[in-house]
Amino acid sequence: MAEIPNWLAQAWALAKSLGAADLHAVSGERLRFRLHGELRCIDDLPFCPPTPWPEVLPLFGSFCGALTSAESSLTHSELGRARASLAAHQGGWMLVMRLIAEHIPSLADVQLSRQHADLALANHGLLLVTGATGSGKSSTLAAWLGHWREQRRGHVISLEDPIEFVHSNSPALGLVNQREIGRDCASFADGLRAALRQDPDVLLVGELRDSESARLALMAAETGHLVMATLHTASAVGAIDRLLSLFPADERELAQAQLADTLRAVMAQQLIWSAETTDQLASAKASAPRAHACREVLIATPAIRHLIREHRLGDIEHIMQTHASLGMQTMAQAMAALPTKAALSR
């Protein structure tokens, strides 16, 4: 990979030291960080260089000047790893980097109870994590997978775009093969098709985006594999509806039956920040607001499976509201349980 330019490395180092989630760079503009849910301008750093960005474009490998956007995962020997997205904008460039933690998140890191963590120990089926960008879906999946590996020690194949958390291999934790879309396989569907012939116990799918990947994920869950995947929806019921909408109308009834048989659980999550804020970036880390993982949880009981099969999705929320003893809860119930000083992040 090409060398990361000094101005970008300097900004990355500051973002990391403050605990920022994202770094925003726009040609000719001041750098910005997303810190504690808020986008903040960094006055202490120089402006981003104007276009062209000859020192940035090579970081995206096969990027061609005729294209208007590109994705990549960046690695720095001292700063770690980041997921990067580059796009043309108003005659210039914009770069957004999502900083990736260097360790696999623990159950405590993602505030996942043992009851909800143990959902990942199912022998087969489909587990979905859903939520907006930046809601911590990848961290929850990584923690779930880490928990599974500590208990099961089998073969995991992940398909990601790009790879975020890097899982190490050891005899005590089984085998993980991580494949990056566009580098190791052409698409999620191609990767899934190949993975089904490679003796996996768990398939981790970065995102279910189309009917082919959704079809293969349901087939894998149906044939004895545990499939963990993400979707971009705001609610657990919305995730079910979104997944089914990926299928053509003439396949939807079969997809409903497959989903009813294979679904294990859906977690829809948001990050909620405590109300305390700081106006001084220099002291932001010391007085950082606390992030609360707020989760709606749907567990596939026989009653839930029946409603999915009959496509009576509107009746699911009532079951979630009244079955807290099974670990289910709506987002409203999760919000109500938050500390009183918590405030919704943007």
Side-chain angles (χ1 to χ4, degrees), residues 13-88:
L14 181 57
K16 181 178 179 180
S17 71
L18 294 174
D22 300 275
L23 165 62
H24 291 244
V26 178
S27 51
E29 297 281 344
R30 286 201 179 276
L31 288 150
R32 290 170 171 80
F33 296 160
R34 185 166 298 280
L35 188 64
H36 312 145
E38 298 179 359
L39 194 62
R40 304 186 181 195
C41 189
I42 311 303
D43 295 332
D44 295 340
L45 291 174
F47 282 72
C48 298
T51 53
W53 280 3
E55 73 280 26
V56 173
L57 301 186
L59 297 175
F60 291 81
S62 59
F63 182 82
C64 172
L67 298 179
T68 56
S69 64
E71 310 287 330
S72 182
S73 54
L74 307 182
T75 301
H76 189 280
S77 58
E78 297 178 1
L79 300 175
R81 302 178 62 253
R83 184 178 71 198
S85 178
L86 178 73

Side-chain angles (χ1 to χ4, degrees), residues 26-309:
V26 178
S27 51
E29 297 281 344
R30 286 201 179 276
L31 288 150
R32 290 170 171 80
F33 296 160
R34 185 166 298 280
L35 188 64
H36 312 145
E38 298 179 359
L39 194 62
R40 304 186 181 195
C41 189
I42 311 303
D43 295 332
D44 295 340
L45 291 174
F47 282 72
C48 298
T51 53
W53 280 3
E55 73 280 26
V56 173
L57 301 186
L59 297 175
F60 291 81
S62 59
F63 182 82
C64 172
L67 298 179
T68 56
S69 64
E71 310 287 330
S72 182
S73 54
L74 307 182
T75 301
H76 189 280
S77 58
E78 297 178 1
L79 300 175
R81 302 178 62 253
R83 184 178 71 198
S85 178
L86 178 73
H89 116 100
Q90 294 183 328
W93 293 105
M94 60 177 288
L95 171 68
V96 179
M97 292 170 53
R98 167 63 52 84
L99 278 58
I100 300 171
E102 296 177 13
H103 70 285
I104 303 300
S106 67
L107 300 181
D109 289 336
V110 299
Q111 303 165 34
L112 201 59
S113 70
R114 188 59 184 249
Q115 182 183 25
H116 291 152
D118 285 348
L119 293 169
L121 302 182
N123 290 325
H124 60 86
L126 178 64
L127 293 170
L128 293 174
V129 180
T130 186
T133 300
S135 61
K137 297 186 297 297
S138 296
S139 295
T140 295
L141 275 185
W144 247 351
L145 183 57
H147 182 54
W148 184 91
R149 296 185 71 203
E150 290 175 354
Q151 304 295 323
R152 295 287 191 260
R153 301 176 179 86
H155 181 205
V156 177
I157 297 177
S158 78
L159 304 167
E160 303 171 68
D161 184 20
I163 291 171
E164 293 194 40
F165 297 98
V166 176
H167 297 262
S168 61
N169 285 314
S170 73
L173 296 177
L175 179 64
V176 176
N177 288 303
Q178 296 182 257
R179 308 187 69 199
E180 187 165 300
I181 306 304
R183 184 192 69 185
D184 305 314
C185 51
S187 65
F188 283 109
D190 285 347
L192 274 167
R193 198 175 292 107
L196 288 171
R197 300 190 293 269
Q198 293 161 355
D199 188 33
D201 297 294
V202 175
L203 291 166
L204 187 149
V205 184
E207 184 183 353
L208 295 177
R209 294 178 177 173
D210 52 45
S211 60
E212 185 63 12
S213 60
R215 188 181 299 111
L216 289 165
L218 287 178
M219 184 178 73
E222 200 173 35
T223 54
H225 306 86
L226 182 62
V227 180
M228 302 179 183
T230 73
L231 286 167
H232 289 284
T233 61
S235 68
V237 174
I240 293 172
D241 195 34
R242 169 62 178 157
L243 181 61
L244 294 174
S245 73
L246 294 176
F247 292 89
D250 60 342
E251 296 182 28
R252 209 157 293 161
E253 187 173 348
L254 174 59
Q256 286 173 202
Q258 286 181 304
L259 184 58
D261 289 340
T262 60
L263 186 67
R264 289 290 173 264
V266 184
M267 282 189 182
Q269 59 185 52
Q270 299 179 25
L271 285 185
I272 309 299
W273 295 92
S274 55
E276 295 88 346
T277 60
T278 175
D279 294 328
Q280 299 299 319
L281 191 62
S283 61
K285 193 170 184 180
S287 57
R290 173 175 167 75
H292 303 269
C294 193
R295 293 186 177 93
E296 181 171 82
V297 183
L298 167 64
I299 297 173
T301 62
I304 295 290
R305 296 182 190 283
H306 174 72
L307 292 177
I308 294 174
R309 192 173 284 107

